[in-house]
Amino acid sequence: MKTDQLQQKLTRYLSGQSMPAETRQIQNWLSVVDKSELQQSEWEKEKIQEEILAEIKAYTAYPLFFPRPKPWWKKVTAIF
Protein backbone atom coordinates (compact mmCIF):
# COMPACT_ATOMS: atom_id res chain seq x y z
CA MET A 1 0.00 0.00 0.00
CA LYS A 2 1.33 3.39 -0.93
CA THR A 3 1.74 6.13 1.63
CA ASP A 4 -0.89 8.38 0.08
CA GLN A 5 -3.43 5.52 0.07
CA LEU A 6 -2.70 4.76 3.70
CA GLN A 7 -3.02 8.42 4.61
CA GLN A 8 -6.41 8.64 2.89
CA LYS A 9 -7.66 5.52 4.69
CA LEU A 10 -6.42 6.80 8.05
CA THR A 11 -8.02 10.19 7.47
CA ARG A 12 -11.36 8.55 6.70
CA TYR A 13 -10.95 6.23 9.70
CA LEU A 14 -10.22 9.08 12.10
CA SER A 15 -13.13 11.13 10.79
CA GLY A 16 -15.49 8.13 11.11
CA GLN A 17 -16.17 7.94 7.39
CA SER A 18 -14.27 4.75 6.52
CA MET A 19 -15.90 1.70 5.01
CA PRO A 20 -16.31 -1.34 7.30
CA ALA A 21 -13.59 -3.22 5.41
CA GLU A 22 -11.17 -0.31 5.84
CA THR A 23 -12.03 -0.07 9.52
CA ARG A 24 -11.26 -3.77 10.04
CA GLN A 25 -8.03 -3.45 8.06
CA ILE A 26 -6.80 -0.52 10.15
CA GLN A 27 -7.86 -2.12 13.44
CA ASN A 28 -6.10 -5.36 12.47
CA TRP A 29 -2.99 -3.42 11.55
CA LEU A 30 -3.05 -1.54 14.86
CA SER A 31 -3.49 -4.76 16.84
CA VAL A 32 -0.49 -6.35 15.11
CA VAL A 33 1.88 -3.47 15.72
CA ASP A 34 4.08 -4.36 18.65
CA LYS A 35 4.58 -1.30 20.80
CA SER A 36 7.94 -2.54 22.03
CA GLU A 37 9.24 -2.29 18.45
CA LEU A 38 8.40 1.40 18.43
CA GLN A 39 10.86 2.12 21.23
CA GLN A 40 14.38 2.95 20.15
CA SER A 41 17.67 2.81 21.94
CA GLU A 42 19.58 6.00 22.71
CA TRP A 43 22.08 5.15 19.97
CA GLU A 44 19.28 4.84 17.40
CA LYS A 45 17.76 8.15 18.52
CA GLU A 46 21.11 9.92 18.21
CA LYS A 47 21.67 8.44 14.76
CA ILE A 48 18.24 9.60 13.60
CA GLN A 49 18.89 13.09 15.00
CA GLU A 50 22.22 13.25 13.16
CA GLU A 51 20.57 12.16 9.90
CA ILE A 52 17.81 14.76 10.26
CA LEU A 53 20.36 17.50 11.01
CA ALA A 54 22.46 16.46 8.01
CA GLU A 55 19.42 16.65 5.73
CA ILE A 56 18.48 20.07 7.10
CA LYS A 57 22.01 21.32 6.50
CA ALA A 58 21.97 19.91 2.98
CA TYR A 59 18.69 21.61 2.03
CA THR A 60 19.30 24.97 3.67
CA ALA A 61 21.89 27.67 3.37
CA TYR A 62 23.74 26.36 6.41
CA PRO A 63 27.15 26.41 4.66
CA LEU A 64 26.64 30.07 3.75
CA PHE A 65 26.20 31.12 7.36
CA PHE A 66 28.73 28.77 8.89
CA PRO A 67 31.46 28.14 6.32
CA ARG A 68 33.79 25.25 6.88
CA PRO A 69 37.21 26.22 8.18
CA LYS A 70 39.95 26.30 5.56
CA PRO A 71 42.49 23.51 5.72
CA TRP A 72 45.77 24.43 7.36
CA TRP A 73 47.69 24.15 4.11
CA LYS A 74 45.51 26.82 2.46
CA LYS A 75 46.19 29.17 5.36
CA VAL A 76 49.91 28.60 5.01
CA THR A 77 49.90 29.15 1.26
CA ALA A 78 47.88 32.35 1.68
CA ILE A 79 50.73 33.82 3.72
CA PHE A 80 53.16 33.46 0.79
Side-chain angles (χ1 to χ4, degrees), residues 2-61:
K2 294 185 179 180
T3 306
D4 56 338
Q5 292 172 335
L6 178 60
Q7 191 172 17
Q8 290 173 357
K9 285 185 180 188
L10 288 174
T11 303
R12 286 194 300 265
Y13 176 77
L14 293 173
S15 66
Q17 299 172 349
S18 63
M19 304 294 286
E22 289 176 335
T23 302
R24 282 192 304 275
Q25 185 182 25
I26 291 171
Q27 289 174 344
N28 286 338
W29 177 71
L30 290 172
S31 67
V32 171
V33 175
D34 184 12
K35 297 197 179 7
S36 64
E37 291 179 10
L38 299 177
Q39 296 178 353
Q40 300 165 339
S41 68
E42 289 299 317
W43 179 81
E44 290 172 323
K45 289 178 184 178
E46 288 177 18
K47 185 176 177 183
I48 291 170
Q49 288 175 351
E50 289 172 4
E51 290 174 0
I52 292 171
L53 183 59
E55 291 213 12
I56 291 171
K57 288 179 182 178
Y59 289 107
T60 62

